Amino acid sequence: MFEYFPGNYVWNLSVAATLNSGGLIDEVDRACRPIRDAATRGEDAGTGDFLQAWTALTDTLVHQAEAAEKAGHTRTAGQLYRRATNYLCQAERMQSASSLHRLDTYRRVLELQQKAFDNIDPRTSRVTIPFENTTLPAYFTKAPAADRDPAPVLIMWNGLDSTKEHIYASGISDELAARGISTLMVDTPGSGEALRLGGLTARIATEGWATACVDYLETRDDVDTARIGLVGWSLGGYYAPRAAAFEKRLALVVAWGANHNWGAVQRRRLEREGERPVPHYWEHVLWVWGYDDLDSFIAYADDVHLDGVVEQITVPFLICHGSNDRQIPLEYAHRSYDQAVNSPKRELRIFTPEEGGVEHIGLDHFPYVRDFVADWVTDTFAELDAATR
């Protein structure tokens, strides 16, 4: 992985994710160069400096975007707003849950993302999904193919620390739209806006989230309801397979990063084994899951695993994993594959150093892994469609 900050895995992960989600290297360098010394103090120290530096870059791009809008150059403005959203969202991800600036920063992320949609991507819109006594915030990208006939849809879920804005920045919805597939990018409980502004925390039984998403999609006349799939990356590699095991209306599922036993990973992290995805790690984890006490949380997390669950997946199942994932052991990818004995089409894809994509969810070569997932989903939907004709 490209390591701008030698020895600081968490900060480097943010840089790699930003660059592989549409960031420009000269802009990222402009933000990172002033904080090189701060990065040497460890992953937790200096995250306020990180936010300040990347906010300054965001401010510059927003000023340029506003000038472009005023001049009627909407495409240029949209590109600038899109990159500004990417930068600010990555900086927000690095902050502690108790940071005084976190919520205001995220609210600004939402505003900038909407300006990007308004200027450059009218096919993507904000939607809300009824869920229990509230709603789940989401973005829906309508594929051009859906203007003619109902189109298949891929639901995309986050992991522990990402947001629907990170999903959008990855370009997955653009790639799927070009392949005739719409995308529903959802902040589920414990992630993104659902956590930050809605106070919804994560839970073991994720199938309820899937049911809400499918129920919503079935209300739309531009959706082929026989072809609704689900992808989850990072901790979503637990969330999505768990959901697909029990929500039988899903037509396929992808674990973009196998997370077969996330609870066991937490016990390893207590012993400082493996890398962690975000600074202020335990504070973040307790926030996501709605716990105040680490010991109680660890006992709960022991049940966050897929043993006895993936056997109940009865749809096509893709598991992607990097061979040098420093967060989630490679053995978990093999375990999910080996146990998914009732999937009619199960595939295990391990990305190697020769091709790239070896780090967590392939962030070191993100577009390559993204496009593999998009192609597999496209091919599998086509096979399912052919089987019904």
Side-chain angles (χ1 to χ4, degrees), residues 18 22 34 114 137 162 172 205 253 258 307 373:
T18 303
Q114 186 59 53
S162 57
I172 186 69
V253 63
D307 291 328
V373 171

Side-chain angles (χ1 to χ4, degrees), residues 55-363:
T55 298
L57 173 62
T58 298
D59 292 342
T60 298
L61 268 63
V62 169
H63 179 74
Q64 294 169 350
E66 290 171 346
E69 274 187 298
K70 186 175 181 179
H73 303 149
T74 55
R75 180 167 178 79
T76 296
Q79 291 170 333
L80 288 161
Y81 281 129
R82 178 180 281 188
R83 294 203 306 279
T85 306
N86 182 16
Y87 298 145
L88 194 60
C89 198
Q90 289 290 349
E92 188 271 348
R93 191 187 74 88
M94 295 279 284
Q95 306 309 303
S96 72
S98 58
S99 169
L100 295 177
H101 304 291
R102 184 156 202 171
L103 287 183
D104 286 342
T105 300
Y106 186 68
R107 288 188 178 97
R108 190 182 185 200
V109 166
L110 296 176
E111 293 171 0
L112 294 176
Q113 187 67 88
Q114 186 59 53
K115 289 184 177 182
F117 295 158
D118 293 343
N119 280 276
I120 203 172
D121 188 8
R123 301 198 70 87
T124 299
S125 59
R126 179 183 176 87
V127 299
T128 54
I129 300 166
F131 174 70
E132 297 179 350
N133 61 346
T134 183
T135 58
L136 301 178
Y139 298 136
F140 186 84
T141 299
K142 182 176 179 179
D147 293 341
R148 301 183 298 274
D149 299 295
V153 177
L154 188 69
I155 304 165
M156 274 287 313
W157 284 356
N158 294 298
L160 180 73
D161 52 272
S162 57
T163 69
K164 63 188 180 303
E165 291 76 35
H166 290 111
I167 295 174
Y168 179 76
S170 76
I172 186 69
S173 61
D174 288 338
E175 292 303 320
L176 290 169
R179 292 163 171 80
I181 300 167
S182 299
T183 308
L184 182 67
M185 297 159 274
V186 187
D187 279 337
T188 58
S191 76
E193 188 179 348
L195 173 67
R196 287 156 176 77
L197 303 184
L200 298 176
T201 54
R203 62 181 70 168
I204 289 172
T206 62
E207 54 270 26
W209 312 343
T211 295
C213 292
V214 175
D215 284 349
Y216 164 75
L217 290 172
E218 287 186 340
T219 68
R220 298 183 62 115
D221 59 11
D222 54 1
V223 172
D224 178 354
T225 57
R227 290 185 292 165
I228 297 173
L230 173 62
V231 175
W233 67 25
S234 194
L235 182 51
Y238 163 79
Y239 292 155
R242 163 81 198 203
F246 301 108
E247 175 44 80
K248 295 300 184 180
R249 290 175 295 174
L250 293 169
L252 59 82
V253 63
V254 179
W256 188 338
N259 227 317
H260 191 92
N261 195 332
W262 190 78
V265 170
Q266 304 321 295
R267 291 198 176 272
R268 292 186 183 195
R269 287 176 178 165
L270 284 174
E271 302 300 323
R272 295 297 302 181
E273 294 180 17
E275 296 287 359
R276 305 189 292 191
V278 286
H280 317 285
Y281 181 73
W282 291 114
E283 181 184 353
H284 185 92
V285 167
L286 294 177
W287 180 43
V288 166
W289 291 89
Y291 274 78
D292 297 322
D293 173 73
L294 183 57
D295 290 340
S296 298
F297 166 72
I298 291 296
Y300 175 85
D302 283 339
D303 291 327
V304 184
H305 63 77
L306 295 172
D307 291 328
V309 174
V310 289
E311 292 91 335
Q312 300 182 64
I313 294 175
T314 54
V315 294
F317 182 23
L318 170 65
I319 303 144
C320 293
H321 208 83
S323 59
N324 189 45
D325 189 326
R326 289 180 265 178
Q327 294 185 40
I328 305 297
L330 177 58
E331 66 185 85
Y332 288 167
H334 291 282
R335 191 179 301 180
S336 284
Y337 177 81
D338 291 344
Q339 292 182 13
V341 293
N342 292 309
S343 168
K345 176 187 177 182
R346 56 176 171 160
E347 182 172 344
L348 175 60
R349 179 65 161 87
I350 306 299
F351 291 89
T352 65
E354 292 75 19
E355 60 185 326
V358 302
E359 294 286 352
H360 186 60
I361 67 168
L363 282 171

